[in-house]
Amino acid sequence: CGMSELWSSDAVAHAPRSPGGVPAADADAERARLLAAEREARARAERLQEATAAIVRARTVPEVARAVALEGARALGAAEALIAVVADGGATIEVMACVGLDDAEAAAWRRFPNEGALPIPTVVRDQAPLVLPSPEALADAYPALAPALVARGVRASLTYPLALDPEGEGGGGARAMGAMHFNLPVARAPDVGEVAFLLSLGRLAAQALDRARLLDAEHAARETAERARAEAEAARAEAEAANRAK
């Protein structure tokens, strides 16, 4: 062997080592990797806590949906976000909040059939995430939709279900009551931490939207009852006045 090989072998043999026998440079690299992973995990937990706080503060369905859209887009660096729920007995997708779209685009996507080759109906039907990490993936999956997306700067999209478990935590039978859709300005797939964040956000958002729906229904029922009571009292007063006038 040559002198360079002898030099390399000698350098490795005499390289500083940690107490466990691992070269110090390798130990330092591993320590740096673990610290970076720890920082990312801490940042992800903080993002989820912030999202949770924003969603808990929301009371109505539109407020919850907008909080999910804003917090999800901020965490992912998304340029556009749509939060949609199933309506009309499953026949329709209704977008409850959108971020980053102009008024015309937002109006065009406010309600549409829960069918066909579109990301949100696909995710609701399959109850599984849909990741399209590049313009090519977008074009392959949705050739009719992709040109408009790419033209306005979309380079990847992430669509995750709003997963609601009707039998309670861990009870099984989860169903997708809607979906979160994020359009990214760069071509990429989510990393492991982002996948965990999106799955947690989807469950949290579904629970908050379901709660807000119940509150909205209770509020509407209360208003209807109060209106009926007021009308009955007005009718009774009118009848009493008519009787007195006889």
Side-chain angles (χ1 to χ4, degrees):
C1 59
M3 289 298 296
S4 61
E5 294 174 345
L6 285 172
W7 176 263
S8 299
S9 299
D10 188 61
V12 170
H14 292 87
R17 293 177 178 270
S18 66
V22 179
D26 292 347
D28 289 345
E30 178 64 11
R31 189 158 45 248
R33 186 189 68 77
L34 292 174
L35 286 173
E38 182 182 347
R39 282 195 299 269
E40 175 55 31
R42 190 160 51 243
R44 184 166 63 252
E46 289 172 357
R47 287 195 298 269
L48 190 57
Q49 286 177 347
E50 291 167 0
T52 301
I55 292 167
V56 167
R57 284 195 300 269
R59 288 292 178 263
T60 66
V61 169
E63 288 175 354
V64 171
R66 182 160 181 80
V68 174
L70 289 171
E71 293 299 326
R74 185 167 68 89
L76 297 167
E80 300 172 357
L82 290 87
I83 308 302
V85 297
V86 174
D88 301 331
T92 304
I93 296 294
E94 184 173 5
V95 174
M96 305 306 301
C98 60
V99 172
L101 278 69
D102 61 33
D103 291 342
E105 283 287 342
W109 289 106
R110 186 62 60 191
R111 289 176 66 90
F112 53 93
N114 185 16
E115 61 185 22
L118 292 169
I120 290 175
T122 299
V123 166
V124 169
R125 180 179 64 249
D126 296 345
Q127 300 188 44
L130 176 64
V131 175
L132 301 173
S134 67
E136 295 76 19
L138 287 166
D140 288 344
Y142 303 106
L145 181 65
L149 292 175
V150 173
R152 65 173 190 258
V154 176
R155 295 297 178 266
S157 75
L158 312 175
T159 312
Y160 274 67
L162 298 171
L164 185 67
D165 184 349
E167 299 180 13
E169 186 69 24
R175 61 182 175 86
M177 66 178 295
M180 313 177 294
H181 178 81
F182 300 98
N183 287 329
L184 308 183
V186 294
R188 68 178 186 86
D191 61 29
V192 172
E194 288 172 327
V195 169
F197 172 82
L198 285 165
L199 292 173
S200 296
L201 184 64
R203 288 190 292 270
L204 173 67
Q207 292 166 5
L209 286 167
D210 195 49
R211 181 194 68 230
R213 274 180 165 178
L214 291 174
L215 291 174
D216 286 351
E218 290 174 4
H219 180 69
R222 197 160 49 245
E223 284 189 338
T224 299
E226 290 173 356
R227 188 163 51 250
R229 186 164 51 250
E231 290 172 354
E233 289 175 355
R236 185 170 56 254
E238 184 177 345
E240 291 173 352
N243 287 333
R244 285 193 301 269
K246 289 181 180 179

